[in-house]
Amino acid sequence: MPDTPIPRVRPELPILALGFRPFFLAAGLSAVLTLLVWLAMLHGAVAMDGYYAGTTWHAHELLFGYGLAVIAGFLLTAVRNWTGLATATGAELGALVLLWTLGRVAPLLPLPAVLVAILDLSFPALLALSLFKPLWQGPNPANRAFLALLGGMCLAALLVHLQALGLTARTALAGDRLMLGLILLTLLVVAGRVMPFFTRTAIPDTAPRSNPWVERLTFGLALLWVAADSLTQLGLPVALPAALLALSLALVQGLRLAGWHDRRVWGIPMLAVLYSGYLWLILGLTLNGLAHLGLLQPFPALHALTIGAIGAFTLGMMARVTLGHTGRPMVASRLTVIAFAALNLAALVRVFGPLAWPWAYSAWLIGSGVLWVLAFGLFLWVYAPMLVRPRADGRPG
């Protein structure tokens, strides 16, 4: 039973009624705008020198901008359902969104570097603080793991800013890789909760299974891989352990996915996009292991994990949560299906194009970027009106 009833007061602005609304809108806008700016940087139309170097800015905005916005929107919505306790709405939610936005804009303005760092670091810290009570007091202690994940994200951001402030020499890449690993850890946690349930709900006569040993190995190996993969960016000699951990984790995730899988999921777009994201995760981990062994460049693995795993899974979850929490049927529109296909094609082009035809690298990069922008542009076209309007069924939220 919940400790206190969830308030049923409808905020004046529907977009501040629940966390998924402003943060999914912000994530979609960030996905489109930052990729367009990145392409402009690559073609010399926008300067790449600033608080972050060009490639560091690109990585930071994908991970700490887009990725963290999706996580914030999801947790501020899901934690309320898991615990029965209230999460930020109204003015408190608006303040969190404003802080996230300031973290995106500040590096582009002539502000003191310390202020830029403080603004960006404050968001994951205050997000964790806003979720502390429901996660800590809720009925399931396992949910407290999200506080540890958010704490780790604060550390990852700190590593990036220490180098940007000139206090360290090579911590930015380690911070980015730590953040990537923590986002993937979050994906693993969420996938384990939702994918068997979603599969069973959509296909009632199927029986997804989660093996306890596979679950234990998943998170044990994942924690070790995140640590090892991050430490390689500091120049520590842990490439071989990182490779073995990545390849082992990929194998275990194949077993995990096999326990949930039913071939009929591929005929249901709202499920297929999540399964495709998980397949990209398995492929990305495999490529990461090969990269640590010196058999491949690191970029195919990086883009399989970012565009493929994070991109496909988060796009699918944002679409699903938006439909469910605005009182609409769980059915993908034609434009939504096109968005899902474009995102997966963006990953295919970015990962395999340069491997097969490296002489056309620039074309593959541009093509992948255009497909990414198309996918999230369609997401905004379809889902932004739902995010800013009251629920279709008239209920609060």
Side-chain angles (χ1 to χ4, degrees):
M1 295 294 290
D3 295 340
T4 58
I6 296 174
R8 293 298 184 184
V9 178
R10 184 190 296 272
E12 183 178 352
L13 294 176
I15 196 170
L16 298 179
L18 206 51
F20 77 96
R21 290 177 172 271
F23 278 111
F24 287 1
L25 182 61
L29 290 169
S30 173
V32 171
L33 295 176
T34 57
L35 204 288
L36 290 174
V37 172
W38 173 236
L39 292 176
M41 284 183 175
L42 292 176
H43 288 81
V46 176
M48 296 183 72
D49 55 334
Y51 179 81
Y52 306 112
T55 53
T56 304
W57 178 83
H58 174 54
H60 195 80
E61 288 309 306
L62 172 65
L63 299 170
F64 295 90
Y66 170 78
L68 195 49
V70 177
I71 289 171
F74 175 80
L75 288 178
L76 289 167
T77 304
V79 167
R80 172 176 289 227
N81 290 339
W82 295 338
T83 66
L85 300 173
T87 55
T89 60
E92 182 184 352
L93 177 57
L96 285 172
V97 176
L98 176 61
L99 185 58
W100 176 89
T101 305
L102 290 173
R104 315 280 62 77
V105 175
L108 309 177
L109 300 176
L111 297 174
V114 172
L115 178 59
V116 175
I118 290 172
L119 288 171
D120 192 55
L121 285 165
S122 296
F123 176 69
L126 291 179
L127 175 64
L129 183 62
S130 76
L131 290 167
F132 182 84
K133 180 179 178 181
L135 285 172
W136 200 261
Q137 296 183 356
N140 185 359
N143 289 331
R144 298 171 188 172
F146 288 104
L147 295 174
L149 288 169
L150 290 172
M153 292 175 186
C154 292
L155 173 61
L158 178 62
L159 291 172
V160 174
H161 288 290
L162 286 175
Q163 183 169 332
L165 293 170
L167 300 175
T168 59
R170 53 186 306 174
T171 58
L173 281 176
D176 287 338
R177 294 307 284 254
L178 177 57
M179 185 63 175
L180 171 62
L182 292 170
I183 292 175
L184 293 173
L185 261 173
T186 306
L187 188 157
L188 289 171
V189 174
V190 172
R193 294 189 176 199
V194 304
M195 287 179 67
F197 173 73
F198 290 164
T199 303
R200 191 180 303 111
T201 301
I203 310 171
D205 60 341
T206 195
R209 302 178 309 279
S210 294
N211 184 295
W213 282 105
V214 169
E215 295 301 302
R216 293 188 186 98
L217 280 172
T218 288
F219 295 105
L221 289 170
L223 286 168
L224 292 172
W225 171 72
V226 170
D229 188 64
S230 302
L231 290 173
T232 60
Q233 304 304 313
L234 294 174
L236 297 179
V238 291
L240 181 58
L244 296 176
L245 288 165
L247 294 171
S248 300
L249 183 57
L251 175 61
V252 171
Q253 293 324 288
L255 296 174
R256 195 185 196 208
L257 189 65
W260 304 336
H261 184 261
D262 184 300
R263 59 183 177 83
R264 290 170 289 181
V265 302
W266 300 105
I268 307 170
M270 297 298 288
L271 268 178
V273 68
L274 301 181
Y275 275 84
S276 70
Y278 216 87
L279 287 174
W280 279 113
L281 172 65
I282 295 168
L283 175 63
L285 289 168
T286 303
L287 295 174
N288 178 267
L290 296 177
H292 282 306
L293 291 173
L295 301 176
L296 279 178
Q297 291 294 314
F299 298 107
L302 182 63
H303 291 106
L305 292 172
T306 51
I307 302 174
I310 295 175
F313 195 86
T314 55
L315 182 61
M317 285 299 296
M318 287 196 296
R320 189 176 192 100
V321 170
T322 300
L323 291 175
H325 283 274
T326 60
R328 290 174 169 83
M330 196 60 62
V331 178
S333 67
R334 181 177 299 178
L335 290 180
T336 300
V337 174
I338 294 173
F340 293 164
L343 195 286
N344 278 281
L345 187 56
L348 280 169
V349 167
R350 190 65 180 88
V351 173
F352 293 107
L355 287 175
W357 296 281
W359 50 267
Y361 184 86
S362 180
W364 298 125
L365 192 153
I366 294 171
S368 176
V370 169
L371 288 164
W372 171 279
V373 170
L374 173 62
F376 285 97
L378 288 173
F379 168 79
L380 290 171
W381 181 266
V382 174
Y383 294 94
M386 304 179 196
L387 293 169
V388 301
R389 295 172 183 165
R391 284 181 59 120
D393 56 11
R395 295 175 58 193

